[in-house]
Amino acid sequence: MQYYGHKINKTARVFSKKLNNVLSPMGLYSSQWGILMCLHYRSTLTQVQISNYLDVEAPTITRTLTRLEEMGWVIRAEGEDKRERYVSLSPQAQAKFPEWLDAAIQLEKAALRDIPEEDLATFNRILQKMNDNLNNLQLAESESEQDSPIS
């Protein structure tokens, strides 16, 4: 049996470690980069939307956003509901973003070296299908929990 989840997790850890090596001289880490990239491409989001998109627990996102705000990379503003916080990139982060993106792209190019485009297209389809299967599994699990007489 192949342990695909283990292999994906191991590869993600290696990639994150290498990304940290590339970004840390610029004052960033991979967990922060994920949030900054999300905000760059999706504009202003709530903390909940960021948490859902990255599939990271809300307290972890809150801590990371606090650090990014202290560094001057994000701006948080209250929403109409005082519990809701909107987050966007600061002008300083917008100016710095191309440098961060270039570093991440160079690492990705190195990781993908000598892999044919058709293999990458297959890889993307497989990852999407795995994500869909896992998300549907979560949905099925939560539905069965709701049907449980113990709830």
Side-chain angles (χ1 to χ4, degrees), residues 26 32 39-40 44 53 62 66 102 109-110 135 144:
M26 296 179 234
Q32 297 167 329
L39 290 170
H40 176 78
T44 300
Y53 175 76
T62 300
T66 298
D102 184 57
K109 283 181 180 177
N135 286 326
S144 67

Side-chain angles (χ1 to χ4, degrees), residues 2 17 36 48 52 58 73-74 83 101 127 149 151:
Q2 295 290 324
K17 188 175 184 178
L36 295 172
V48 171
N52 290 340
W73 301 133
V74 299
R83 293 171 295 173
L101 181 60
L127 284 179
S151 332

Side-chain angles (χ1 to χ4, degrees), residues 51-68:
S51 176
N52 290 340
Y53 175 76
L54 295 174
D55 202 20
V56 174
E57 296 295 324
T60 302
I61 293 295
T62 300
R63 282 191 302 272
T64 305
L65 286 173
T66 298
R67 180 74 181 118
L68 288 170

Side-chain angles (χ1 to χ4, degrees), residues 13-124:
R13 286 178 146 326
V14 171
F15 193 91
S16 289
K17 188 175 184 178
K18 298 295 184 184
L19 187 57
N20 282 336
N21 290 343
V22 168
L23 292 177
S24 64
M26 296 179 234
L28 275 186
Y29 292 94
S30 61
S31 59
Q32 297 167 329
W33 170 241
I35 291 172
L36 295 172
M37 195 164 75
C38 178
L39 290 170
H40 176 78
Y41 289 108
R42 295 177 183 263
S43 193
T44 300
L45 297 172
T46 66
Q47 291 182 196
V48 171
Q49 288 170 321
I50 295 168
S51 176
N52 290 340
Y53 175 76
L54 295 174
D55 202 20
V56 174
E57 296 295 324
T60 302
I61 293 295
T62 300
R63 282 191 302 272
T64 305
L65 286 173
T66 298
R67 180 74 181 118
L68 288 170
E69 188 175 34
E70 290 168 354
M71 295 165 66
W73 301 133
V74 299
I75 299 167
R76 289 196 279 187
E78 285 186 11
E80 291 177 21
D81 178 347
K82 293 203 187 285
R83 293 171 295 173
E84 191 171 62
R85 303 280 302 218
Y86 285 96
V87 185
S88 59
L89 290 181
S90 70
Q92 298 91 329
Q94 290 173 4
K96 202 85 164 126
F97 189 85
E99 180 183 346
W100 299 329
L101 181 60
D102 184 57
I105 287 171
Q106 294 309 313
L107 176 62
E108 191 165 297
K109 283 181 180 177
L112 299 177
R113 189 181 66 236
D114 299 329
I115 301 175
E117 285 296 321
E118 58 272 11
D119 288 350
L120 292 174
T122 300
F123 177 68
N124 281 323

